[in-house]
C-alpha cells in the first residue's frame, strides 16, 4: 500500500493573491507544498464549470458530433449520458445528477485525464469549480461548500478544511459517439451551454 501524505503546515503562508482571491479557503491545512501549485492562467472559475447541463437525444447529438468524436460516458440506474470532450475541454467540470446520483464529470485537457466522481464530500453534497491552478500539470478544482482544493486525477483534497478527504470514483467509459449511441440508443448527449 502507498502511504498518503499527512496534513502538514505548508511551507510558509500562501501567496498574498491566493489569500485575497480565496478568503474562505483554510490554507493552514495542506498535504502539499504551495510551491507545487502553479497558476494555469485563468482566475477562479475563469474556466466555467457547467452547473445546469442540458442534454439532447442521441439522434440529435449525433447530428452535432462526428461518429468518431470522443465522449466520456456514464450510466447509472438506466440513465445513460455522454459528455463530448469537445465541450469538456472548455469547461473541465460538469456538475450533474445521473440516475439520482450527484456526480462531477471532470476532464483535464493538459494531462488528458477524465474522471467521474460522486459529489458527496465528507457526507455533504457539493458542486465543484475550477481554481485556475495546476499541480503536476493537472487540474486543481475546489468544492463550493468549503473552498477546499482537490487534485482532479487523485480525487483528493490537498488544501483546505477537507484536506486528506477523497471522493468516490464512479465507473465510466471513454468511447466514440457512435459506440455510445449503439449501446444506449435512448441515451442523451451533453449540449453546449447557451
Amino acid at each position: 500500500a502507498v502511504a498518503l501524505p499527512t496534513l502538514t503546515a505548508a511551507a510558509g503562508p500562501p501567496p498574498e493573491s491566493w489569500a485575497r482571491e480565496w478568503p474562505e479557503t483554510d490554507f493552514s491545512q495542506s498535504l502539499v507544498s504551495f510551491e507545487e501549485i502553479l497558476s494555469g492562467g485563468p482566475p477562479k472559475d475563469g474556466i466555467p464549470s457547467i452547473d445546469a447541463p442540458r442534454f439532447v437525444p442521441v439522434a440529435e447529438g449525433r447530428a452535432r458530433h462526428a461518429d468518431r468524436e470522443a465522449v466520456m460516458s456514464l450510466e447509472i440506474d438506466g440513465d445513460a449520458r455522454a459528455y463530448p470532450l469537445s465541450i469538456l475541454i472548455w469547461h473541465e467540470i460538469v456538475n450533474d445528477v445521473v440516475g439520482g446520483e450527484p456526480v462531477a464529470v471532470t476532464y483535464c485537457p493538459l494531462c488528458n485525464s477524465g474522471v467521474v466522481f460522486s459529489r458527496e464530500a465528507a457526507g455533504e453534497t457539493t458542486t465543484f469549480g475550477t481554481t485556475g491552478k495546476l499541480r503536476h500539470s493537472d487540474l486543481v478544482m475546489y468544492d463550493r461548500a468549503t473552498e477546499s482544493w482537490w487534485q482532479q486525477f487523485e480525487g483528493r483534497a490537498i488544501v483546505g478544511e477537507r484536506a486528506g478527504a477523497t471522493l468516490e470514483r464512479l465507473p465510466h467509459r471513454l468511447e466514440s459517439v457512435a459506440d455510445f449511441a449503439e449501446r444506449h440508443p435512448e441515451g442523451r448527449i451533453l449540449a453546449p451551454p447557451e
Side-chain angles (χ1 to χ4, degrees):
V2 175
L4 295 176
T6 57
L7 289 174
T8 61
E16 286 183 25
S17 61
W18 293 8
R20 283 193 307 273
E21 187 177 18
W22 296 91
E24 302 303 316
T25 300
D26 181 358
F27 289 106
S28 70
Q29 299 188 62
S30 178
L31 297 179
V32 301
S33 167
F34 294 141
E35 293 176 356
E36 295 179 17
I37 301 172
L38 305 173
S39 172
K44 175 183 179 182
D45 292 320
I47 299 171
S49 61
I50 297 176
D51 299 328
R54 295 182 314 110
F55 292 86
V56 296
V58 164
E60 185 178 337
R62 287 189 83 172
R64 294 180 182 197
H65 301 281
D67 277 350
R68 293 180 61 188
E69 183 173 339
V71 296
M72 288 177 61
S73 67
L74 176 65
E75 187 270 326
I76 300 175
D77 288 338
D79 187 355
R81 301 185 187 196
Y83 304 82
L85 295 193
S86 61
I87 297 173
L88 291 174
I89 199 169
W90 296 104
H91 295 278
E92 298 187 357
I93 300 170
V94 179
N95 292 294
D96 199 2
V97 178
V98 180
E101 171 91 17
V103 301
V105 178
T106 68
Y107 179 70
C108 177
L110 285 179
C111 60
N112 195 29
S113 63
V115 189
V116 179
F117 300 104
S118 167
R119 285 195 285 114
E120 187 173 300
E124 178 181 8
T125 299
T126 187
T127 60
F128 289 87
T130 59
T131 62
K133 310 284 189 272
L134 300 167
R135 179 172 176 259
H136 304 309
S137 298
D138 179 44
L139 162 67
V140 175
M141 53 194 195
Y142 75 98
D143 73 74
R144 293 191 174 118
T146 67
E147 295 203 350
S148 296
W149 294 8
W150 300 74
Q151 182 83 51
Q152 179 257 358
F153 189 75
E154 297 177 336
R156 182 171 55 119
I158 57 173
V159 174
E161 178 181 320
R162 292 191 171 145
T166 57
L167 298 171
E168 177 189 359
R169 289 175 179 250
L170 300 176
H172 61 283
R173 293 177 186 240
L174 179 62
E175 61 184 337
S176 69
V177 169
D179 287 346
F180 173 78
E182 183 177 331
R183 287 186 320 101
H184 297 289
E186 303 302 316
R188 297 183 291 159
I189 298 177
L190 180 68
E194 294 182 324

